[in-house]
Amino acid sequence: MHCSRRTFITTASITLAAAIMFRRGTRTSSRNAAEGVASAGPAAGRLSVADTLARSSTPAARPELAQQLREHYSDVCECWKTEQQLPIVYDSGYNITLLGLEKLHPFDSCKFSKVVAGLQTAGVIAGISQLVQPLPASLTALQSVHSQTYLQQLHSSSLKVAQVTELSPLALLPHSLVQRKVLQPMRLHVGGTVLAAALAVAHGWAVNVGGGMHHAHREDGSGWCPYADITLAVQRIR
């Protein structure tokens, strides 16, 4: 399964407006794209962001693939995108909170809910029901992009998770807690990226509000990136 040149997927939530501009055949900076989301009202002679999204999301760009994609990606999506939904992937489980320790890290682990709230305020979406919910990536799926040794370390040691996320206090917590509050949400992000890739093939564009863990590789992770979600998404879409 190959992506055409018209297929566009992003895991960087702030570039939603850039995706819209891309489809209009224009170029814009990330700053201007962000401002486009913030001021989503219609300009003279131009469609609003919400209208552009609605027009570009239905019908599916490649409807002949719909059933094939549903079957192939059932492990990361319990309910496939409906006609009322946009190809934007999000789950409230993306947001990580752990006794306030997450605030010690420069990365805002709860920014994803803020992005969705911003989209609602801007009129891009009417509510969260318009977004597609992913399922967490399975251990079997992760084994295709990570070594068994690395996954065993990550899933059995709070110290290893602390090293990968660069949040030292995690090393002092029970691993069962770290697994539930940190790694499980991270696997949900991975499932979201994989699902967004499939939606991009079907609809010409898609956005995962989370994901984009570009520091992870086969033998290790770093910089708050335990799993190579982008690599897995590309591998699956091929």
Side-chain angles (χ1 to χ4, degrees), residues 142 145-154 159-166 213-229 231:
L142 294 172
V145 292
H146 291 293
S147 70
Q148 188 66 33
T149 299
Y150 170 61
L151 290 176
Q152 287 178 345
Q153 292 176 341
L154 192 66
L159 175 59
K160 184 59 179 178
V161 178
Q163 292 172 339
V164 170
T165 60
E166 299 176 2
M213 293 180 269
H214 57 284
H215 291 296
H217 55 87
R218 183 169 182 80
E219 300 295 338
D220 209 348
S222 63
W224 198 261
C225 303
Y227 304 118
D229 63 320
T231 302

Side-chain angles (χ1 to χ4, degrees), residues 60-73:
R62 303 183 68 180
E64 74 280 3
L65 290 178
Q67 186 58 40
Q68 181 182 349
L69 289 169
R70 285 191 188 96
E71 295 174 357
H72 190 58
Y73 286 86

Side-chain angles (χ1 to χ4, degrees), residues 26-49:
T26 62
R27 295 180 181 272
T28 184
S29 67
S30 297
R31 179 179 179 181
N32 289 338
E35 290 173 352
V37 169
S39 57
R46 299 178 67 182
L47 293 173
S48 69
V49 173

Side-chain angles (χ1 to χ4, degrees), residues 191-213:
T193 299
V194 173
L195 175 58
L199 291 173
V201 169
H203 296 276
W205 70 276
V207 174
N208 180 22
V209 175
M213 293 180 269

Side-chain angles (χ1 to χ4, degrees), residues 115-170:
V115 169
V116 171
L119 295 178
Q120 288 184 266
T121 300
V124 176
I125 60 173
I128 196 172
S129 62
Q130 280 189 280
L131 309 183
V132 185
Q133 288 185 288
L135 294 174
S138 67
L139 179 59
T140 300
L142 294 172
Q143 287 173 340
S144 67
V145 292
H146 291 293
S147 70
Q148 188 66 33
T149 299
Y150 170 61
L151 290 176
Q152 287 178 345
Q153 292 176 341
L154 192 66
H155 296 155
S156 62
S157 168
S158 292
L159 175 59
K160 184 59 179 178
V161 178
Q163 292 172 339
V164 170
T165 60
E166 299 176 2
L167 189 58
S168 299
L170 294 183

